[in-house]
Structures are given as C-alpha cells and as structure tokens.
Amino acid sequence: MIKYKSKEEIEKLRAAAQVVSRTLGKVAEAIEPGVTTLELDAIAEDYIRSQGAVPGFLGLYDFPNTLCISVNEQVVHGYPTDEPIKDGDVVSVDCGAILDGYYGDHAYTFAVGNVSEEVLKLLEVTKECLNIGIEQTRVGNRMGDIGYHIQKHAEDRGYGVVRELVGHGIGQTMHEEPQVPNYGRRGRGKKIKEGLTIAIEPMINLGTAQIKYLEDNWTIVTLDGKASAHFEHDVAVVDGKPDVLSTFKYVEEALAKKDNVS
C-alpha cells in the first residue's frame, strides 16, 4: 500500500534528505586518490550524527556500514573497505539518514582523477536519466512513464539499464511502496497522486544491463566488468508537480572548490 504524505510529513522528509545531501558534500570534499572508502564511511557517520540524525543504512538488513560505496564495475551495495581509491576510479556513494523518524536516501557517482571520456559520458547520461525521471513525477502520469523515459534516454545512447534493482517509496521506513523501475511502458502502472514520495535512482551500465552478486552477498557488479553509474534523489509530488527534496548543491560546491585549487 502506498503511504501518501501530508505537506508536514514531506517537510520532515526534506530535512532528512538535506542531511544526506550535506553528508555527500562532506564526502565530495574528502574523496581523492589514496583515500580509503572506510575513511569516507567514518566521515559520513560522524557528520550524520553531528546533525542529530542517525545513519539510515547502518544495521539495515544487517548492512555493516553507513555508506554503500561501489567502485567502477560495482553497481550498488558495495561496502567500504581499506582499499585506497585510485586515479581514474568512478565511485558511487549511496547514503541514508534518519531524522525525526523520517528517512533520506540519496546517491552520487564521483569521477576521481583522470577518468576516461567514455565513462564521463556514462555519468552525464545517468544524471540526465535521473532528471528525466523526476520530470515525469507529476499528477496525471503513471509509474511506467518514469521508467519508460529513463530507459529510452539510456538505451538510445547504447547503455544498459539494470532491471533487477529499482527505486522505491520512502517515508518512515527506507523502502515503501511503490517500486520505481528504471524501465517500463508509458501509461502503465500505478497513478501518480498528490503526496507521493519516492526515491528515483537510475542504475545505468556502460555495457550490458546484466548483473551478478559477489560472494559477500552484498556487492552487485556488471556481468561484463564495465563501469556502472548511479544517481538518486528523493522526490515528492506537491501541487501536482515534482518537488526534489535532496540536492546535489553541496557536492557540486565541494567539487568546484577542488577544481579551483587544482
């Protein structure tokens, strides 16, 4: 059952999402070759707790960390390790936080150092897919409209769209109804109504759409070993239109500052 939210509840979701957005900004400040993903995880946990929130992923389904960090061919659900990030890596960072009983859930894929033009284009298109999906999140459309337009934009450019993993409703639990696939048919699926709150998260692969699980039973990788990208926003339907609750502003500010220094 879909739990439609009041405007007051949406503001609580926005506050939680903004904690996650600022946390990803802190990650953006720190991420560089030589830094380990466990170091990024510690930065994120400390910042979330400093905001009066608690990590949303830590312990969820027994996940052992604050961040899901997926590198290169890893699609999602990679967990932090003491392996240093290398020049040329692409690093997807997915973060959740709980504030005042409501979840925020938000992801960004970072290009670290000298990343190939081919992979940079993948990141650009995946972010475009996210924005296209958000634009479809309005009263009068159906869930299939979101997935159809994401799928078309990615596949028209030769990329693989992961089928087994989807976005989701969000509220006082991390994963609510409805599921939000990144593929679909126009005019199909549940009607989009006022007060809907969802996490839209395209997972787009440079090559095949096919994936597999590693032996750790968490990390999901592309079957062909090519890079994957993942961007995610929390979105509410307010006054019939999409209202993006999370933001990439803090990430973009941190990355711009780094570019100016270099």
Side-chain angles (χ1 to χ4, degrees), residues 92 106-110 122-124 126-128 130 200-203 229-233 248:
S92 169
H106 183 28
Y108 193 94
T109 301
F110 295 90
L122 169 69
L123 268 58
E124 179 185 339
T126 306
K127 196 184 288 187
E128 290 169 355
L130 173 59
I200 301 175
E201 47 179 325
M203 289 155 273
H230 175 214
F231 290 89
E232 178 180 17
H233 271 315
F248 291 146

Side-chain angles (χ1 to χ4, degrees), residues 91-168:
V91 183
S92 169
V93 181
D94 193 358
C95 180
I98 310 166
L99 181 67
D100 197 19
Y102 287 81
Y103 276 86
D105 180 20
H106 183 28
Y108 193 94
T109 301
F110 295 90
V112 181
N114 297 297
V115 174
S116 72
E117 287 298 323
E118 181 183 43
V119 174
L120 288 175
K121 185 63 178 176
L122 169 69
L123 268 58
E124 179 185 339
V125 170
T126 306
K127 196 184 288 187
E128 290 169 355
C129 286
L130 173 59
N131 292 330
I132 286 166
I134 290 168
E135 179 57 28
Q136 294 297 318
T137 310
R138 54 182 65 244
V139 171
N141 283 354
R142 291 178 178 266
M143 296 306 300
D145 294 305
I146 298 173
Y148 169 82
H149 286 279
I150 290 172
Q151 179 184 6
K152 183 173 188 337
H153 190 72
E155 290 183 349
D156 282 355
R157 287 150 184 81
Y159 299 120
V161 179
V162 175
R163 301 294 201 277
E164 294 87 343
L165 305 159
V166 298
H168 51 89

